[in-house]
Amino acid sequence: MDELAASGKLRVGVVAAPSMSAFFVTQDADGAPHGVTVDLGTALAAWLGVPVAFMVAPNSGLVTDALAAGAIDVSFMPVDDERKARIEFGPAYFVVESTFLVTAASGISTLAEVDRPGVRVVGIANTTTIRSATRALEHAAVTAATSVDEAMAMMRLGTADAFALSHDSLPPLALDLPGSRVLDGGFQRTVIAIAVPKNRPQALAAVTAFMEDAKASGLVRRALDAAGFRDASVAPPA
């Protein structure tokens, strides 16, 4: 399809992190990505009958930039108004809630306690989560990191007290930070959806059809299960 794989292959943007989630992928020793969005991107390429090539980035802001510029053909990412102005979203495959991972030294035990003077919050640059955290927090200081690895390094060094990220992404990270805890509740709720560049109606129609079929056929369910997220719910039909 000219609008979706004009280069002869489907170029898919994914975001890497130390631990896999319904959104984040991990990479093997050779750099090859693995995870839910890799499975979905591979299936979309097969559905189109073209090869797949992955762009792996440390944060979703860089993938958004690449998609808006037409450097990649498709991606999967959390939806917010800023991104809607730059790229076009199709159906969601997962509903995501964001909360905080807090250090033992912070003494924080509730969401309300995060928003205090002197509390240092880190989030990933140019993401829906850091934008939402910045809006939600009136007193805490919010700092942007370029990747999950960098944010976790700040938490370990004691230069950040709380890490804003999706709830499903945080439990594996907490295991590497003794005494830390994932706070109950959340400050943001959104969906992770398939996305294409603006002004490509045929591409949007194609990924919409693919994603709705992927949910109805059980493809999304199998991708989540394969990644270890058997309790994660597939987003409902659009």
Side-chain angles (χ1 to χ4, degrees):
M1 176 181 290
D2 290 343
E3 283 192 357
L4 192 53
S7 67
K9 60 187 175 184
L10 185 70
R11 302 167 300 171
V12 182
V14 295
V15 182
S19 301
M20 196 178 294
S21 73
F23 173 63
F24 290 123
V25 305
T26 55
Q27 293 176 276
D28 62 25
D30 295 325
H34 302 276
V36 175
T37 55
V38 171
D39 290 350
L40 294 178
T42 301
L44 174 57
W47 187 75
L48 293 168
V50 297
V52 66
F54 290 99
M55 168 201 167
V56 183
N59 63 66
S60 57
L62 292 176
V63 176
T64 302
D65 292 342
L67 194 61
I72 56 175
D73 303 304
V74 66
S75 188
F76 308 85
M77 64 184 67
V79 178
D80 72 359
D81 289 340
E82 184 168 324
R83 285 189 176 142
K84 284 181 179 179
R86 302 183 63 203
I87 59 178
E88 202 74 55
F89 284 99
Y93 72 89
F94 185 69
V95 178
V96 62
E97 183 175 54
S98 294
T99 186
F100 298 99
L101 174 68
V102 296
T103 64
S106 72
I108 296 169
S109 59
T110 67
L111 284 173
E113 291 174 355
V114 175
D115 195 18
R116 299 181 301 188
V119 173
R120 301 158 300 173
V121 175
V122 63
I124 308 303
N126 298 318
T127 62
T128 63
T129 302
I130 196 170
R131 286 192 284 269
S132 181
T134 301
R135 290 192 298 268
L137 299 173
E138 296 181 5
H139 305 292
V142 181
T143 300
T146 59
S147 67
V148 173
D149 279 329
E150 183 182 340
M152 286 300 293
M154 293 173 65
M155 295 283 279
R156 286 190 289 268
L157 288 170
T159 57
D161 305 300
F163 182 12
L165 201 65
S166 64
H167 207 293
D168 64 299
S169 302
L170 288 172
L173 300 177
L175 296 176
D176 292 330
L177 195 64
S180 65
R181 64 186 298 174
V182 179
L183 298 184
D184 292 334
F187 61 86
Q188 175 192 236
R189 186 176 175 85
T190 187
V191 295
I192 305 175
I194 195 165
V196 295
K198 285 279 191 183
N199 303 314
R200 297 189 184 180
Q202 293 179 0
L204 180 60
V207 300
T208 296
F210 164 78
M211 185 53 71
E212 292 298 356
D213 179 71
K215 290 191 286 187
S217 69
L219 173 63
V220 175
R221 176 74 272 154
R222 292 190 294 274
L224 289 167
D225 290 349
F229 300 102
R230 295 184 179 275
D231 295 331
S233 298
V234 177

